[in-house]
Amino acid sequence: MIEKVRGGINCKLVCIDIDGTLLNDAKEIMPEVKRAVRKQYEKGRKIALVSGRMPCAVSQIEEQLGIDCIKICNAGTFIIVDGRCVKEEVMSTNVMRQLYENIAEKYKVALWIFQGYQWYVTRIDSFAENEIRIIKHKPDVMSIDELSVNWDKNGICPNKLLIAAEEKKINEIQADMGMWENREFDIARSSGNYLEIFPKCVDKGKAIISLCAILKISRKNIIAIGDHELDIPMIETAGVGIAMGNAIQELKAKANFVTLTNNEAGVAYALDHFL
């Protein structure tokens, strides 16, 4: 059951996805959304930005909001509280090599690699160029062999991998990877063009459970808002899960409430409705 107090839910933490949720299609925070999020922060509620984005790209959104946020980055594998990483999840470099050889080369797509605060790609393509424009950060172009040798020598492992391609090709790749047996990773879409690859049994839902333990709060005191497949575990974990009006149908079916779209300030409508 959802714990309630006078005026609504006893919410202590608001978890918000970024792309397709907090941001409109122009990748902007609408004034109404900024107002609503800041209002909850000023009431003493913690705000967590929960995203597939790397830390520097999440920090840019935090700066635009003008408030201190918890940052759950790299699809839930890198949690930053008060400016320091408090929890990190990784997968083996062997997975990185395996996916490059059996997926990236097979489908002729670039592999993106995220490790801590860093972003690497096997090559720059139109999807990487678009991401660079959005987050204003350029990745290092590295060969998988070079990266693997260096990381194996220094005990470094990736937090997350990503494949960006046309939606039809992503459908094919996701179906292909979905049939792999005994795989050491999980996959989920963060958009039609982005397939996120992260350590097995790690997701945004597990990340906010870890955050609850750190903050010493209950899951029932969390409101979570999202729009795509990567957000489903977060929506299921929170006391109240809210789907954006533009969310995929599978997420809407899991949510307690469906708000307006990201182009209609849906986050503001949801927060005003519940809080």
Side-chain angles (χ1 to χ4, degrees):
M1 296 293 291
I2 300 164
E3 185 179 349
K4 293 179 179 284
V5 295
R6 183 180 300 174
I9 298 157
N10 183 16
C11 174
K12 297 179 181 178
L13 173 67
V14 180
C15 295
I16 313 172
D17 171 55
I18 292 178
D19 295 282
T21 302
L22 186 69
L23 305 184
N24 62 16
D25 288 349
K27 300 296 181 181
E28 300 168 336
I29 305 174
M30 298 178 71
E32 307 96 304
V33 172
K34 183 175 180 179
R35 172 199 57 77
V37 174
R38 287 178 61 91
K39 178 181 177 182
Q40 298 312 318
Y41 175 80
E42 288 162 2
K43 286 184 174 182
R45 296 184 172 110
K46 294 185 182 298
I47 307 296
L49 301 176
V50 189
S51 177
R53 289 187 176 207
M54 64 181 295
C56 76
V58 178
S59 293
Q60 291 169 13
I61 305 303
E62 178 187 39
E63 289 170 8
Q64 290 176 42
L65 287 170
I67 58 176
D68 293 326
C69 298
I70 293 164
K71 295 177 282 291
I72 299 179
C73 315
N74 293 344
T77 63
F78 201 80
I79 303 175
I80 301 170
V81 179
D82 295 331
R84 67 183 184 89
C85 177
V86 296
K87 188 169 180 62
E88 180 179 14
E89 302 283 357
V90 297
M91 61 186 119
S92 72
T93 53
N94 183 55
V95 169
M96 182 172 71
R97 288 190 292 265
Q98 183 184 30
L99 287 169
Y100 179 73
E101 293 167 2
N102 296 303
I103 294 295
E105 289 194 320
K106 176 181 177 180
Y107 291 94
K108 296 180 171 49
V109 294
L111 185 65
W112 299 6
I113 304 106
F114 296 87
Q115 202 294 314
Y117 295 89
Q118 304 301 314
W119 174 28
Y120 305 90
V121 297
T122 53
R123 61 182 170 86
I124 300 285
D125 58 12
S126 61
F127 291 95
E129 288 174 348
N130 185 57
E131 187 72 4
I132 291 166
R133 283 193 297 271
I134 291 170
I135 71 171
K136 299 175 177 61
H137 181 85
K138 193 170 183 179
D140 293 320
V141 180
M142 300 283 288
S143 76
I144 290 298
D145 288 341
E146 183 181 0
L147 205 55
S148 296
V149 168
N150 179 52
W151 283 4
D152 287 344
K153 188 186 300 181
N154 293 287
I156 300 170
C157 294
N159 299 118
K160 184 192 83 164
L161 309 173
L162 185 145
I163 293 170
E166 296 82 4
E167 191 163 353
K168 182 179 179 182
K169 185 173 283 190
I170 290 292
N171 291 340
E172 295 173 10
I173 292 170
Q174 187 171 15
D176 186 339
M177 292 169 65
M179 293 187 293
W180 289 19
E181 295 182 359
N182 303 315
R183 67 187 191 197
E184 300 174 40
F185 57 86
D186 285 328
I187 55 177
R189 303 275 275 270
S190 55
S191 75
N193 301 114
Y194 283 7
L195 182 63
E196 312 264 353
I197 304 152
F198 39 89
K200 195 162 187 64
C201 299
V202 176
D203 53 45
K204 288 186 176 184
K206 299 291 193 313
I208 64 172
I209 289 173
S210 296
L211 185 58
C212 283
I214 292 165
L215 300 178
K216 295 180 172 54
I217 64 172
S218 169
R219 288 160 52 182
K220 66 186 178 183
N221 298 128
I222 298 175
I223 284 179
I225 313 173
D227 75 305
H228 221 284
E229 184 181 0
L230 194 65
D231 301 315
I232 290 174
M234 177 174 74
I235 295 300
E236 292 179 312
T237 300
V240 174
I242 299 172
M244 298 297 293
N246 52 289
I248 60 171
Q249 194 56 45
E250 186 181 358
L251 187 143
K252 287 180 178 179
K254 304 278 188 181
N256 302 105
F257 180 75
V258 179
T259 185
L260 302 177
T261 72
N262 62 323
N263 292 322
E264 299 171 308
V267 167
Y269 182 83
L271 294 178
D272 290 344
H273 177 85
F274 277 101
L275 301 173

